[in-house]
Structures are given as C-alpha cells and as structure tokens.
Amino acid sequence: MISLNKISKKFGKLLAVNDISLNLEPMHSYALIGPNGSGKTTMIKMILGMVLPTCGEIKVDGQQIARSWKYREKIGYMPQIGRYPDNITIGQLFEMIKKIRHATNGMDEELFHSFQLDFMLKKQMRTLSGGTRQKVSAALAFLFKPPILILDEPTAGLDPVSVEILKEKIQKEKDAGKLFIITSHIMSDLDDLSTDIIYLYEGSIVYNNPVSILKEETGHDRLGKAVSKIIRDHATTTNSRLH
Amino acid sequence: MLFLMFSSIGLYQLDSDTSKVVMSLMNILLIVVPLISVIFTTIHFYNSYEFIELMLAQPINRRTIFVAEYIAVSFSLVITFVIGLSTPMIIYGAGGIGGTLLISGSILTLVFTSLAFLVAVLTRDKAKAIGLGLLVWFYFTLIYDAIVLWVVYTFSDYPLDTATMIMISLNPVDLARILMVLKLDISALMGYTGAFYREFLGSNAGFFTSTAILLFWAIIPAWLALHVFRKKDL
C-alpha cells in the first residue's frame, strides 16, 4: 500500500533519513521506534508530502506521490504536537475540515463523541490543554475513514481513560483492515497495538520484522524487553565495528 | 487604515491647497504603505504557519494553499488602504489625481506583499523574516535612491538617459512615485529620479509603462515565492 524506495533526506549537512526502502501493507500496524532524532517524524512527513525527499521515490497505492496531493485523501494524520490556529473554535475547525474533504463514504465520529468533544464545540483552540488538542487531532485523523492512519506519538499527553479509548479504536480499525503507522516511546502501548516493529537509528532501518518473530528471536514475551534487547545487540555490534 | 485616515484628514486640515496636501500624502504613502505591507504579511505568514501545516496534511494542492494565503492577505491590505485613503478624499476632494494615488498605492501594496511572501518562504523563523523584510523596505525606500543619485552625480559627464530609466524600473517605490508625479506636474520637487522620468516619457506612455512594470514587480516575486513554497519542507 505504501512503498518507499531508497529514500534519503538531507537537511543541510545533516542526513536525517539514509537510504530507506520499505513496503507497508494493509491489515498491519507498524510501530516505528527509535531514539529522538532518528528520523521517524521526517519519514512520516515525507509520506505526507510535507517534507520532500532528497532522492528516492514514495508510492501510495501504486501512485507516485511527488507533486501529487490527491492521495492524501487516503491518509489520516495525527501529528505529534497538534498545532491549530488560535482563534478558531473546535466546531469551526471540524466544519472547515469537513468542507475541505468531501466525505465520500460517510464520517466516523466515534472518537469525536467518546472524547466528548461535542460538549466543547464553542471553545477556542488557544484555550485548550495539550491533551484536549491531542483528542482533537485524533478525532480529526479518524473522521474520514481513511485506509491509512499515521499516528505520531498518539498517547503522549492523554489521560489514562482517553488512552484506553484511543487504543480500543486503533485495535478496532486495525482489525477492519486498515494500515497503521504508529510512533511511540511507550512500549506497553505498542505491545497491544502493533503487528510489526521497525527500528530506526540515525536515519537507517536497523530492524524490521513482525512482532511474533521479534519475540521468538529474543526469547522475551514483552515487547519492551524484546526491543531493548535488539537495541543493545545493535549497539554492541556497532561499537565492536568501531573499535 | 485608521492611521491613513487620520493622517490624511490632518493634512487636509493643515493646508487649504489640495495639490500640496496630495503631495504630502503621496510622500507618506510611498514610505508607509510598503512598510505596513511587509510587516503585516510576514507576521501573518508565520502566525498561520500551524494552519498551513494542518492544511498540508489534507488533500489540497500546495499551490491552492499559497494562492489562497496570498489573496487573503493582499486583498485585506488593499481594501484597508483604499478605504483609509478614499474616505478623507471623498470628504475634502483630491483635485483629480486621487484615482492615480489609489491605484498606484494599491499596486505598491501588492508589490510589497509579494516581496514579503518571498522573504517569508525563504526564511525559517519569524525574526529573520521580519528583519529581512525591513531590509527590503529600507533598501527600496531609502538606499536605492541614494545609489541612483550617487551614480547620476558621479557619471554626470556621460549620457545617462537609458541607464537612469533602467535603474528606476528596478525600484517599485520609484515607479509608484513616477506614476503619481506624472499626474501631478510637480516633478521637479519630487527628487532626482522623478524629474528624470518626466523628461523621457510623455505623460500617457510613461503612465502605462510604469504601471506595467509595477505589475511585474507584484507578479514576479509572488510567482517565485509560489515555486519556493512548493518545494519547501514544512
């Protein structure tokens, strides 16, 4: 569904993403992990066309995305930090986005209601707390039933109840056949949600396998432990190469 | 708008001769209009940065986003300018050249909105953008005239007709000034460059050429800014 072919991105001299090739399929939920600054957000932004790759090509649904924009109808995006115009109210924001995206197959307002956003339609975005903004972002991402959902740190800043609501929603949509790309630093969240693990380090893919294989390989049953094992293994191999 | 309205009403109060008032107004316009356009546009662009990001995640063409931003800013600035200036003019009368003043001022607003958009898409943060925008404004309103004057003075032994004309066309503020001056018939009072232009061009031909070049000044930076924006990483 999404394929990245030898993607690199340079910001000045900094090589943010280094020669990545990936194939992402529906029905899977990919957990994108890696230390801060390893290129996760850059990769996501390149799929969205917000950052243009220095070289390589990205295809969504078999279509090149360079210079195209129509494909974004298929993607719901929840940014790491939801930033919205200050003076707009929640109600106006949803109205506007609805006008921009002509919903062809109806709308999914489940999150909108379960996060109780309908009770604060008149609130201005400026007055909202970080968590409430996250809820708005999440509700917007799911609103148009897109087949691809990209969630950048979806649970950061949410209260425990909302985290559960969101996780249930992700689970449900994943089972319905959607493609998820989720980045997070909270392994226990990813444990329930992801089917595949992609570990990025300094812009390169170090590890890319289904969770079941990962757990088998490392002999750990919990994702957190399994992941930290591959990270440590990776660190020792790079260190020994250096010496 | 209020600033324009009050300053023009004040000027009308000070002097009973309309053409003198219009001349003072023109000088204010040539300096203030570019400044307001540049500052307002850069601030607006960086304040709506989040919004642009939000729009980019939606299925919308980047060109559409940019054109919408440009139209929104430039139209509101032009409308502000026109209302602010025309209200006192209607009340007190402008002596025939009010129309020229409005047109050239409006185009000047567009020119500096375009330049400011170009500056805004080329920079990465607000402070730099405003600084660079102010530099552009300073250059076109003050420094450029000084350079032209210096060149003309230094090389006064040579025939400079074409050279001066080209130099003037390279500055939108000068062009706007010439547009007004050609109508005002007081070119000698309006600085060296203005005086030159009148000598070379008859009233009508001069008017159309300078309007055309001025429009180019509005279109080309906006077009360049659009191209930068389409390739910009946000």
Side-chain angles (χ1 to χ4, degrees):
Chain A
M1 191 117 190
I2 301 178
S3 71
L4 286 77
N5 192 9
K6 294 191 172 153
I7 291 291
S8 294
K9 177 67 194 177
K10 276 183 188 165
F11 289 117
K13 277 183 186 167
L14 178 81
L15 193 61
V17 168
N18 182 14
D19 197 29
I20 282 185
S21 296
L22 262 183
N23 257 317
L24 308 176
E25 299 298 333
M27 300 286 280
H28 287 256
S29 164
Y30 297 87
L32 206 55
I33 55 174
N36 303 112
S38 57
K40 303 186 297 282
T41 301
T42 308
M43 211 177 101
I44 286 173
K45 282 192 167 179
M46 283 196 289
I47 295 174
L48 285 163
M50 289 161 103
V51 170
L52 310 180
T54 315
C55 58
E57 54 172 28
I58 302 174
K59 283 181 180 171
V60 173
D61 238 3
Q63 268 183 316
Q64 288 258 14
I65 65 160
R67 290 193 160 264
S68 139
W69 47 273
K70 198 86 179 149
Y71 76 96
R72 285 201 282 268
E73 279 175 357
K74 300 186 188 106
I75 301 179
Y77 171 54
M78 178 180 172
Q80 195 168 20
I81 306 157
R83 298 196 296 174
Y84 299 97
D86 275 348
N87 290 322
I88 202 166
T89 64
I90 295 184
Q92 286 169 337
L93 181 71
F94 275 85
E95 279 307 308
M96 190 183 68
I97 303 284
K98 278 178 193 169
K99 270 184 200 156
I100 290 170
R101 300 177 78 136
H102 318 283
T104 41
N105 44 354
M107 266 177 273
D108 177 1
E109 292 187 322
E110 192 187 332
L111 274 186
F112 184 70
H113 294 302
S114 47
F115 282 150
Q116 301 185 323
L117 292 174
D118 31 2
F119 296 114
M120 35 183 161
L121 284 176
K122 290 235 162 69
K123 273 198 177 175
Q124 290 191 331
M125 293 308 294
R126 166 182 45 196
T127 63
L128 299 185
S129 69
T132 319
R133 273 167 205 250
Q134 286 291 89
K135 289 182 194 171
V136 171
S137 303
L140 276 179
F142 283 93
L143 192 59
F144 297 92
K145 301 184 179 173
I148 301 167
L149 278 141
I150 300 177
L151 314 175
D152 200 352
E153 308 243 1
T155 53
L158 285 183
D159 60 75
V161 180
S162 308
V163 170
E164 280 316 309
I165 294 174
L166 185 61
K167 277 162 90 171
E168 269 169 35
K169 181 71 182 165
I170 295 173
Q171 199 79 47
K172 194 174 140 195
E173 296 298 323
K174 189 185 82 193
D175 294 339
K178 295 192 170 168
L179 164 59
F180 276 88
I181 302 172
I182 305 170
T183 76
S184 184
H185 294 295
I186 305 162
M187 290 302 145
S188 59
D189 287 348
L190 291 173
D191 212 349
D192 313 329
L193 298 176
S194 53
T195 59
D196 291 71
I197 297 288
I198 298 169
Y199 179 62
L200 279 178
Y201 184 76
E202 288 186 352
S204 307
I205 295 177
V206 174
Y207 190 88
N208 177 12
N209 264 326
V211 173
S212 50
I213 294 181
L214 169 76
K215 285 182 178 169
E216 215 171 277
E217 273 179 9
T218 52
H220 286 294
D221 201 34
R222 277 181 43 225
L223 189 65
K225 282 200 170 166
V227 166
S228 56
K229 185 163 190 312
I230 57 164
I231 293 172
R232 256 183 277 123
D233 289 351
H234 172 249
T236 39
T237 47
T238 37
N239 276 341
S240 58
R241 226 181 293 149
L242 283 175
H243 290 299
Chain B
M1 182 176 105
L2 283 178
F3 168 78
L4 268 175
M5 212 186 274
F6 282 124
S7 61
S8 34
I9 288 175
L11 280 170
Y12 273 107
Q13 296 292 342
L14 277 174
D15 212 315
S16 49
D17 184 357
T18 343
S19 73
K20 272 188 196 164
V21 174
V22 169
M23 226 175 69
S24 322
L25 256 184
M26 184 181 97
N27 273 329
I28 294 177
L29 278 186
L30 288 174
I31 296 193
V32 170
V33 162
L35 181 65
I36 293 177
S37 308
V38 164
I39 298 286
F40 186 84
T41 306
T42 22
I43 290 179
H44 171 85
F45 184 85
Y46 276 94
N47 279 358
S48 59
Y49 207 83
E50 294 94 45
F51 185 66
I52 293 173
E53 270 184 341
L54 174 69
M55 287 297 111
L56 275 177
Q58 309 299 327
I60 313 175
N61 201 337
R62 279 197 183 196
R63 183 201 296 266
T64 318
I65 298 173
F66 182 83
V67 173
E69 280 282 326
Y70 182 80
I71 289 177
V73 174
S74 57
F75 268 48
S76 47
L77 280 173
V78 168
I79 290 169
T80 314
F81 168 76
V82 169
I83 295 174
L85 197 68
S86 62
T87 321
M89 274 202 216
I90 290 167
I91 299 172
Y92 296 101
I97 83 139
T100 321
L101 217 60
L102 284 179
I103 291 169
S104 47
S106 304
I107 303 179
L108 205 60
T109 311
L110 291 181
V111 169
F112 277 87
T113 312
S114 303
L115 284 171
F117 261 106
L118 185 57
V119 165
V121 294
L122 284 174
T123 46
R124 283 218 144 262
D125 68 293
K126 202 174 178 175
K128 249 188 216 163
I130 292 178
L132 204 59
L134 281 177
L135 195 70
V136 168
W137 169 76
F138 200 63
Y139 173 76
F140 281 131
T141 47
L142 291 171
I143 300 175
Y144 193 86
D145 256 9
I147 295 172
V148 171
L149 208 60
W150 177 80
V151 168
V152 172
Y153 186 74
T154 318
F155 299 98
S156 52
D157 294 342
Y158 304 92
L160 278 171
D161 313 17
T162 352
T164 329
M165 293 255 292
I166 292 167
M167 281 198 289
I168 291 166
S169 317
L170 290 176
N171 183 352
V173 179
D174 269 353
L175 275 171
R177 179 180 294 147
I178 279 146
L179 261 180
M180 300 172 187
V181 163
L182 285 174
K183 289 277 168 187
L184 259 182
D185 215 25
I186 37 166
S187 39
L189 293 173
M190 294 318 305
Y192 214 37
T193 47
F196 260 95
Y197 212 75
R198 185 163 174 78
E199 269 182 46
F200 301 131
L201 284 170
S203 226
N204 260 343
F207 183 79
F208 285 116
T209 332
S210 40
T211 314
I213 301 174
L214 208 49
L215 279 175
F216 267 116
W217 265 104
I219 293 162
I220 288 170
W223 181 79
L224 281 175
L226 171 64
H227 274 255
V228 176
F229 182 71
R230 291 178 78 181
K231 296 206 174 89
K232 191 177 161 79
D233 294 331
L234 286 144

